Amino acid sequence: MGLGLSVYAVTGGADLGAGLWSLLARGPRKAAQRKAVQDAIAPIWEANHVWLIFVIVVMFSAFSRAFAIISIALHVPIALALLGIVLRGAAYTFNAYGVGDQRVGWERVFAWASLVTPVLLGTVVGAVSSGDIRVVEGEVTTGYFAGWTSPFALCVGAFSLALFALLSSVYLAAESEGDVAEDFRRRALWMEGIAGALALVTFLMARGHAPGLFDNLARSPFTWPIQIATAVAALAATALLWTRRLGWARYLAAVQVGLVVVGWGLAMRGHFVLPDVTLAEASPNPEVMPALCLALGIGSLLLVPALVYLYRVFKSSSGRARRS
C-alpha cells in the first residue's frame, strides 16, 4: 500500500497538479500553456489513477476494519474527492471533443476539480494523522466533520496541492520547449519555495494539532534520515531547475515527493488512524494475506511491464518526437 500511495503521488498527483496550471495559464502564451497541459496528460491520465484504485482494493481486501472506519469517519471529504476525480476526467474528455463555448465550460470544470481534489485528499491525510478521530471498540465516536476540517488538516491539504503543482510544473517544463518550458520552469522554482514553506508550517502546526504525529516526526530515529533525504532532494531539484537541467530535475522532484509520502507513513508508526487504529488491529482476517500477496505478485507481472511500455511510448524523448 505504501508503494502504491507513493507511486500515485508522483503520477496521479502530477496529473491533478496539471489542472491547476491550466487554470492559471496567463500571458501571451496562455493557449500554448494549456495545450502543453493537454498534450502531457492526454495519453496517461487514466493510467495514473490506477494506483488509487490499487490502494483502495488492497485496503478493502486486507485491512477491511481500517477501511470501514476511515470510510465512515471521513466519508464527506472522500466522496467529494472521488466526485472531483470523476468530474475532471469527464470534463477533460468533453473538453477534448467539444466545440466553441462548450469547451470553455468543461475546461473550467476540469481546472477547478483539479484544484479542489488534492486539497480534499490532503485533509483526509491530515485527519487520520491528527488524533481527532476516535474509535472505541471498532466504532467511530467522533462526528463526520472531526479532523478533516481542522486548521492542521487544511494546511496538509494546501501542502498536498503545492506538492502536486510542483511535480506537474517540473514535468511540464521537462516535456515542453522554448518559452513555454521557461514559463513552467519559473513556476516550478516558485512551487519549490511554496512547498518548502508549507512543509515547515505543517510541521510546526502538528505540535499543537497532531501531537502524536509530531512526536514521531521529531523524535523517531527512522523519520529523520527520510526528512534529511527529502531536503537534499528538494535542494538538488531546485539547483537543477535553476541551471535548466530539466530532465534530471524531473526525477529529483519525483524522489522528493515520494520521500514525503514515505516519511509520513513512517511517522504514523504502524497506525491507519492515530492513535486508535493500528496496522495489526485493522486486519480481521489475516488468512487472506497469502492469497492477496499471490494475486498482487501475478498482477504485477502484467501491470508493471504494461505501464513501463506506456510511459516509454508516450513520455520518452523519441516517443514525444513521434507524436509531434
Side-chain angles (χ1 to χ4, degrees), residues 216-228 262-263 265-267 269:
N216 294 337
L217 282 171
R219 298 185 176 89
S220 170
F222 300 105
T223 57
W224 276 109
I226 298 297
Q227 293 181 60
I228 293 171
V262 171
L266 290 174
R269 296 291 296 271

Side-chain angles (χ1 to χ4, degrees), residues 254-266:
V255 170
Q256 174 189 348
V257 174
L259 286 173
V260 170
V261 178
V262 171
W264 168 75
L266 290 174

Side-chain angles (χ1 to χ4, degrees), residues 120-301:
L120 289 166
L121 293 174
T123 61
V124 172
V125 172
V128 299
S129 312
S130 65
D132 291 341
I133 298 174
R134 301 312 306 262
V135 180
V136 177
E137 296 181 353
E139 299 289 334
V140 178
T141 59
T142 42
Y144 295 139
F145 293 91
W148 70 278
T149 55
S150 68
F152 172 72
L154 294 174
C155 188
V156 175
F159 182 42
S160 303
L161 176 62
L163 288 176
F164 293 170
L166 164 66
L167 272 179
S168 181
S169 57
V170 176
Y171 292 176
L172 286 166
E175 295 181 16
S176 302
E177 295 179 351
D179 292 337
V180 175
E182 189 64 13
D183 291 341
F184 288 120
R185 186 188 73 87
R186 284 196 291 267
R187 291 172 186 181
L189 285 168
W190 275 105
M191 290 313 304
E192 281 285 7
I194 292 171
L198 284 171
L200 179 60
V201 172
T202 303
F203 178 75
L204 295 176
M205 286 187 72
R207 186 169 192 170
H209 295 271
L213 183 76
F214 180 83
D215 286 344
N216 294 337
L217 282 171
R219 298 185 176 89
S220 170
F222 300 105
T223 57
W224 276 109
I226 298 297
Q227 293 181 60
I228 293 171
T230 305
V232 171
L235 291 173
T238 302
L240 291 167
L241 285 167
W242 189 267
T243 55
R244 293 179 173 77
R245 285 177 283 186
L246 302 177
W248 285 106
R250 174 168 53 182
Y251 297 116
L252 264 297
V255 170
Q256 174 189 348
V257 174
L259 286 173
V260 170
V261 178
V262 171
W264 168 75
L266 290 174
M268 290 295 284
R269 296 291 296 271
H271 288 76
F272 277 102
V273 181
L274 281 172
D276 293 333
V277 184
T278 66
L279 195 65
E281 296 167 346
S283 180
N285 304 107
E287 62 272 19
V288 305
M289 290 295 185
L292 181 64
C293 291
L294 179 63
L296 292 176
I298 295 173
S300 299
L301 294 177

Side-chain angles (χ1 to χ4, degrees), residues 48 54 60 93 114 169 227 241 245 284:
N48 285 340
F54 170 83
F60 176 81
T93 304
S114 301
S169 57
Q227 293 181 60
L241 285 167
R245 285 177 283 186

Side-chain angles (χ1 to χ4, degrees), residues 102-116:
Q102 290 179 340
R103 297 191 65 176
V104 176
W106 287 117
E107 197 169 82
R108 288 174 182 162
V109 173
F110 168 74
W112 281 104
S114 301
L115 175 69
V116 173

